[in-house]
Amino acid sequence: MRISQLLLGFPAALILSVLFGAYAVFFAVGLLTAVPNTADVAGPVTLDNYARFLFEPSYLAILWRTLWLSTLLAVLTAVLGYPVAYFIARTPSSFLRRFMLGALVVTMLAGSVSRAYSWLVILGNRGLINSFLLWTGLTDKTVPLVYNELGVSIALVHFLLPFFVLTVFGAIKNLPTSLEESARNLGAGRARVMAKIVIPLTFPAIAGGLAIVFSLAMSAFVFPLVLGGGRVRLLSNFIYDQVFVAFDRPFAAAVSLIFLVVALTALMLLTLLQNHTRRLAAGGFGGKGA
Amino acid sequence: MISRILWRTYLAAFFVFLLGPVAFIALYSLNDAVYFQLPPPGLSLRWYGEFFDSRIFTRALKNTLLLSTTVTVICLLFAVPTAHLVVRGHFRGRELLNNLILSPLIMPGVVTGIAFLSAFGVLDIRDGFFRLTVAMTIFCLPFAVRAISASYHGLNRQAEEAARNLGATRLQTWCKVLLPQLRPGLMAGGVFIFVETVDNFSINVFLADRASKTLPIAAYEHIRDFDDPTVAAMATLLSIVTIALVALMDRLVGLDRFIGQK
Amino acid sequence: MSDGVHLQDIGKDYDTVTAVDQVALDLPKGTLLTLLGPSGCGKTTVLRMIAGFVDPSRGKIVLDGTDVTRVPPEKRGTAMVFQNYALFPHMTVFDNVAFGLRLRRQKRAAIANKVKAALDLVHLADFAKRYPAELSGGQQQRAALARCLVIEPRVLLLDEPFGALDRHLRESMQTELRKLQQQLAITTVLVTHDQQEALALSDYVAVMNRGRVEQFGPPREVYDRPRSRFVADFMGVSNVLAGRVRVHGEGRIFEATGYGAFRLSENGTEGEGDALLALRPDALRLDPEGLPGVVHFSALTGAHYVCEVRLDAGGELTLNLPRSDPRSAPGSRINVSADPAEAVILPA
């Protein structure tokens, strides 16, 4: 048994050592300094890169902006997505359920560059929406929908929705309908059943879904790159610029580590929330599985 | 009554929003003009012609298919023993191992991309295809492990005990009873890896060299430098492949079963 | 060592919990033993130790003269019908049944013949090409049984095999199983918590409680002469009275607090002193000389009424009255006595 476990563990060990080896090298680089006008790095070991980021308000603003936008988009996605997840889980029509699940999965798997491009053409100054608005005479000037946070946000919500809906859908489907029926039977209206039964009992899944979409929003890269047109500065793009524009890999590494720490802390808070609500939800079932 | 109408309108609007971009890009790819025009001047397949005539895109297509296939195979081979260990292993730190394996999922893609770039730089590994293969295998492993683990959790352990009881060794039990039942997980995992590798931009953009560019990188560079619907043709082709794979998965595994397992 | 199943003082500890302790049973070849007890009593652990899925912490397991304590499950020659049958969902009924034979590298033609014979035996010949999901519960169970019988095991193991079936089907499957077991003379160990099932099917019953065997013997003996309060309760004795045994004239009586005196049989060996008296409902009868009381509740169970009687002395008894007896109605005054031959004295 021991030996077979070691053998089975070989692929995992290989993968993990390469992954964490890469990260270790990367963060070591963050302690060095870039050699100007080259892609090289050199000593001595210093914390300057970290200090440079943490004491520069305009850099910190990028970090806060990224956190704030990710939070906002995660919540928006949850609010928009939850009713749809509920509908898919409860619709008696298996055709509708399959169609909707199919649409969500296809959207989730559709290429991100392709979709960013599609949004660019839809939202662009000479794109679908502006052409339509001008053609109908609703406006006489183009409405700026891309190369700003609005365009990036629209595309990101579209990107995040399938992840949230599919995560929450499973939890709602596993919730016995008898709970809702008995609440209705005892005199609760639809809205009250939703607020008092369904949402509280699926809260762990909601928190889990929020964690997923929040971390996806935090690390979003393609959509801000294509739809932000260099004017929307989020952390991923800032790091990218440090590597490909400023050729300052040590600084990029230091910012990445700060980014990672912030993102993981936020996720940890969400996981705590999830565990806490799971205990509450489990208590609702008479303590079963608590 | 009114709330019912509002509710249906919301659902309809949701799915129009969801499917809009894919549907729109498909229509746009058939647009005869270079720029977007309303109403469209005419239909044609000229942008598909442009796509297949372009050296850059055909090369990227070949690269992408080769990379995705390689990564799918390697990743599944790595994921099966790992999933077994994560679900069935008896050792301390099993939960930790699971979390470590899944950790690339929460690492921002850009950070992972630059980390690999730095590591390959230090090791002086310059072959683009090799770099992409390594990075994508590691990045995709969590998807595969998750899908296969889900299949593992759904198994009836008694069926395995029954096999042992009827005279099968551990290995025979694994091959004849377990593996066939893991097929849904393997398939779902495989589709995920394949699509994820075809689609990945944020990691690959750091690691690809001139010869190993994949489609998303070629597409991004095209969008950056030109303004014509060639990329719409590419996006439509990829969507068709994705829809076909999802439909296949639905036929073979059952989509709602696979999602319900999560 | 003789043929059959021999458990020599086996025990199993999980960390600090002892799940099974000092279980010693000898089962002759061709007989059926039932391990009977409430959930958590260790009966399934014993079965899984025989199959080899649980390693005993102590003791030896001997099957047909061979010590198999350290033999892996696949080499033990046992065959088990699992609680939920554990049919391989991706194989047809035929392939499920053929599984064990294929592992034994038998000839293709021989396999086909044996599988067909086994399916005939369990009346599933027409279902060979179906998948488990396409079978009813009873059919799945018969397929699982055929899968075991076809490899001609040393011991057939059954883990609560009838638990998932509805009552009607359960009874017919029980009869079918017992007939097959006797016809093939196959040594069998069955686990259940249903005392009716244990009585109906077994050559031997082992009543288990908290990891130990409380009583082992033929079903009639366990039924008629429970040796402890636990066994009496579990075998459906509803009246267990506290009191003391006393010599009274020629014979002995049991004086129960709150009830009165019950005559005991002549050939009892228990001495005077504190004890418990166990009376099953059918040990009680109407007797003008008996203890007076009033029926305060009755329920029809088929052939008879189960009546609860509150005695004038204060205690309560449960007894059976024939359906036709008008005194079964609540409010009837009756006098009750016990058949000395069926009164069982238990240690206090």
Side-chain angles (χ1 to χ4, degrees):
Chain A
M1 194 60 206
R2 278 281 155 72
I3 293 172
S4 70
Q5 281 195 359
L6 283 178
L7 274 175
L8 289 173
F10 177 72
L14 183 68
I15 294 276
L16 288 177
S17 51
V18 174
L19 176 67
F20 288 100
Y23 268 95
V25 170
F26 180 44
F27 293 125
V29 169
L31 298 171
L32 303 176
T33 314
V35 179
N37 303 321
T38 69
D40 293 333
V41 293
V45 172
T46 162
L47 285 172
D48 281 358
N49 293 314
Y50 290 92
R52 221 173 105 203
F53 186 84
L54 294 173
F55 293 114
E56 169 58 53
S58 67
Y59 291 165
L60 280 178
I62 295 173
L63 176 62
W64 297 133
R65 194 70 208 158
T66 307
L67 267 173
W68 166 240
L69 194 67
S70 306
T71 310
L72 197 73
L73 293 180
V75 172
L76 187 65
T77 301
V79 171
L80 291 176
Y82 192 87
V84 177
Y86 182 80
F87 179 82
I88 300 176
R90 289 291 186 248
T91 177
S93 155
S94 84
F95 167 78
L96 269 183
R97 178 164 48 247
R98 281 172 61 145
F99 166 76
M100 290 178 172
L101 286 177
L104 287 162
V105 173
V106 168
T107 307
M108 183 166 77
L109 296 179
S112 48
V113 172
S114 310
R115 263 190 297 166
Y117 177 62
S118 183
W119 282 117
L120 192 65
V121 183
I122 292 175
L123 303 173
N125 288 341
R126 284 183 314 198
L128 176 66
I129 291 184
N130 271 313
S131 304
F132 181 77
L133 290 177
L134 289 172
W135 182 63
T136 55
L138 280 170
T139 57
D140 47 11
K141 281 203 308 250
T142 56
V143 182
L145 293 171
V146 286
Y147 305 135
N148 56 24
E149 265 187 12
L150 180 65
V152 174
S153 298
I154 292 173
L156 274 179
V157 167
H158 181 261
F159 164 70
L160 299 174
L161 273 170
F163 291 93
F164 184 83
V165 174
L166 291 176
T167 306
V168 181
F169 158 75
I172 301 176
K173 199 179 77 174
N174 291 335
L175 195 69
T177 42
S178 57
L179 289 175
E180 285 161 67
E181 283 163 359
S182 70
R184 290 297 293 275
N185 184 247
L186 293 169
R190 266 177 205 283
R192 188 175 288 260
V193 170
M194 210 60 187
K196 295 279 176 191
I197 310 285
V198 181
I199 292 178
L201 286 176
T202 51
F203 212 87
I206 297 176
L210 278 174
I212 291 172
V213 294
F214 172 78
S215 64
L216 286 171
M218 279 286 282
S219 47
F221 172 56
V222 177
F223 293 101
L225 182 71
V226 175
L227 293 161
R231 261 166 273 174
V232 179
R233 298 199 95 190
L234 295 179
L235 211 45
S236 283
N237 305 85
F238 179 76
I239 295 170
Y240 174 85
D241 287 347
Q242 296 315 309
V243 174
F244 283 109
V245 181
F247 293 108
D248 193 343
R249 217 184 286 169
F251 186 52
V255 178
S256 296
L257 185 61
I258 294 167
F259 182 18
L260 210 55
V261 169
V262 172
L264 291 182
T265 310
L267 272 184
M268 220 150 65
L269 290 176
L270 273 169
T271 311
L272 283 180
L273 179 70
Q274 189 182 6
N275 289 339
H276 180 67
T277 52
R278 184 173 290 148
R279 232 170 290 134
L280 289 184
F285 285 120
K288 201 166 70 179
Chain B
M1 192 59 209
I2 289 176
S3 68
R4 211 188 172 105
I5 293 170
L6 280 175
W7 174 225
R8 295 214 169 148
T9 313
Y10 176 70
L11 277 175
F14 183 93
F15 282 95
V16 167
F17 175 64
L18 198 70
L19 294 176
V22 173
F24 172 75
I25 210 70
L27 289 176
Y28 184 47
S29 73
L30 298 169
N31 183 7
D32 200 24
V34 176
Y35 301 116
F36 179 78
Q37 283 175 25
L38 204 74
L43 295 179
S44 88
L45 288 174
R46 71 182 259 215
W47 302 111
Y48 290 85
E50 294 277 336
F51 175 78
F52 285 109
D53 284 342
S54 152
R55 271 259 183 96
I56 295 171
F57 277 120
T58 47
R59 176 131 201 201
L61 179 64
K62 253 186 253 163
N63 286 340
T64 306
L65 291 180
L66 183 63
L67 178 70
S68 298
T69 314
T70 314
V71 169
T72 305
V73 172
I74 298 178
C75 210
L76 286 179
L77 285 177
F78 276 42
V80 169
T82 307
H84 186 92
L85 211 56
V86 164
V87 179
R88 295 285 176 83
H90 293 284
F91 56 92
R92 253 195 242 176
R94 194 174 58 126
E95 195 53 29
L96 178 72
L97 176 74
N98 188 30
N99 288 334
L100 289 179
I101 294 285
L102 297 183
S103 62
L105 284 182
I106 55 162
M107 305 276 197
V110 171
V111 178
T112 304
I114 306 180
F116 278 116
L117 180 66
S118 308
F120 288 135
V122 168
L123 296 172
D124 202 27
I125 293 170
R126 293 185 189 189
D127 183 70
F129 186 77
F130 180 79
R131 305 207 288 197
L132 295 179
T133 307
V134 171
M136 281 295 107
T137 302
I138 293 174
F139 175 68
C140 290
L141 192 72
F143 298 111
V145 170
R146 258 205 333 206
I148 298 170
S149 302
S151 272
Y152 253 107
H153 283 299
L155 293 186
N156 178 0
R157 305 270 318 236
Q158 285 194 344
E160 288 154 57
E161 289 188 341
R164 294 294 304 279
N165 183 250
L166 293 168
T169 61
R170 271 176 201 285
L171 192 66
Q172 284 171 323
T173 304
W174 198 87
C175 295
K176 292 190 176 176
V177 176
L178 235 145
L179 192 59
Q181 297 189 78
L182 291 181
R183 248 188 30 204
L186 286 169
M187 226 130 48
V191 168
F192 246 89
I193 301 167
F194 190 88
V195 175
E196 202 56 49
T197 310
V198 168
D199 175 43
N200 187 278
F201 178 78
S202 57
I203 296 177
N204 288 349
V205 71
F206 296 101
L207 304 176
D209 54 12
R210 197 169 287 279
S212 61
K213 264 178 211 158
T214 57
L215 279 177
I217 300 169
Y220 171 68
E221 289 175 353
H222 190 87
I223 299 169
R224 195 184 53 195
D225 302 337
F226 304 95
D227 189 5
D228 69 47
T230 313
V231 172
M234 179 207 87
T236 308
L237 290 172
L238 286 185
S239 297
I240 291 170
V241 172
T242 305
I243 292 171
L245 282 174
V246 171
L248 184 75
M249 203 159 77
D250 186 33
R251 185 55 67 79
L252 295 174
V253 188
L255 211 52
D256 43 357
R257 206 187 118 204
F258 155 65
I259 294 164
Q261 275 180 354
K262 267 203 203 168
Chain C
M1 186 55 69
S2 60
D3 284 354
V5 179
H6 304 276
L7 308 182
Q8 302 176 353
D9 281 323
I10 57 172
K12 177 66 188 175
D13 303 325
Y14 290 105
D15 296 327
T16 57
V17 183
T18 300
V20 170
D21 201 24
Q22 295 179 3
V23 169
L25 297 169
D26 291 297
L27 180 66
K29 195 175 178 64
T31 57
L32 191 152
L33 163 72
T34 299
L35 299 170
L36 175 66
S39 61
C41 73
K43 55 190 192 301
T44 299
T45 308
V46 171
L47 195 77
R48 292 170 60 80
M49 283 197 275
I50 300 173
F53 298 129
V54 174
D55 287 330
S57 312
R58 295 174 291 283
K60 268 198 334 189
I61 296 168
V62 180
L63 300 183
D64 284 354
T66 322
D67 180 350
V68 297
T69 317
R70 300 284 161 224
V71 172
E74 67 268 20
K75 299 217 170 76
R76 291 202 178 189
T78 67
M80 183 152 163
V81 175
F82 289 80
Q83 212 165 10
N84 296 312
Y85 319 132
L87 293 169
F88 306 127
H90 58 297
M91 298 183 192
T92 60
V93 169
F94 184 95
D95 290 332
N96 263 283
V97 177
F99 186 84
L101 296 173
R102 287 188 179 138
L103 287 169
R104 286 164 178 74
R105 308 207 178 282
Q106 301 207 354
K107 292 247 162 48
R108 193 177 265 275
I111 291 176
N113 285 335
K114 286 184 183 179
V115 171
K116 193 180 169 314
L119 289 176
D120 278 339
L121 210 55
V122 298
H123 312 299
L124 276 184
D126 297 338
F127 296 87
K129 292 206 177 81
R130 298 242 192 135
Y131 283 89
E134 300 163 346
L135 300 181
S136 71
Q139 289 166 341
Q140 288 187 15
Q141 186 187 45
R142 286 191 295 216
L145 188 60
R147 187 173 72 175
C148 289
L149 294 176
V150 78
I151 61 169
E152 296 166 27
R154 285 168 170 167
V155 192
L156 178 64
L157 305 173
L158 303 151
D159 184 7
E160 304 252 6
F162 307 109
L165 303 178
D166 64 51
R167 190 174 151 190
H168 183 70
L169 189 57
R170 182 160 65 218
E171 283 168 4
S172 74
M173 288 301 299
Q174 285 170 349
T175 316
E176 214 172 303
L177 173 77
R178 179 60 165 162
K179 282 182 184 159
L180 263 177
Q181 184 267 330
Q182 285 176 328
Q183 176 194 337
L184 303 172
I186 180 166
T187 316
T188 304
V189 180
L190 182 144
V191 158
T192 185
H193 59 264
D194 178 347
Q195 52 110 356
Q196 300 265 12
E197 188 171 304
L199 293 176
L201 295 180
S202 322
D203 295 303
Y204 297 95
V205 175
V207 183
M208 292 190 63
N209 182 28
R210 295 192 192 163
R212 292 176 183 242
V213 174
E214 290 253 341
Q215 190 167 354
F216 172 65
R220 274 212 58 171
E221 188 184 304
V222 176
Y223 184 79
D224 287 339
R225 296 276 151 218
R227 281 209 298 259
S228 68
R229 166 143 206 184
F230 177 82
V231 177
D233 280 341
F234 209 78
M235 297 310 287
V237 180
S238 33
N239 306 304
V240 179
L241 319 180
R244 50 185 291 125
V245 178
R246 273 191 21 181
V247 175
H248 181 77
E250 290 295 285
R252 297 168 312 139
I253 58 165
F254 184 89
E255 277 184 347
T257 333
Y259 291 85
F262 293 89
R263 217 151 49 76
L264 297 177
S265 72
E266 306 300 322
N267 48 15
T269 54
E270 302 85 0
E272 283 190 283
D274 289 345
L276 296 173
L277 178 69
L279 296 167
R280 50 182 71 258
D282 43 4
L284 293 169
R285 60 196 175 185
L286 297 181
D287 175 359
E289 310 281 282
L291 306 165
V294 181
V295 175
H296 71 91
F297 175 79
S298 63
L300 182 63
T301 61
H304 53 252
Y305 276 99
V306 175
C307 301
E308 288 180 12
V309 181
R310 189 171 293 127
L311 296 182
D312 294 349
E316 290 202 11
L317 289 173
T318 303
L319 75 160
N320 296 338
L321 287 180
R323 225 172 24 195
S324 54
D325 194 323
R327 285 168 296 182
S328 59
S332 314
R333 280 204 70 82
I334 54 172
N335 295 67
V336 185
S337 73
D339 181 351
E342 298 215 25
V344 180
I345 295 295
L346 302 174

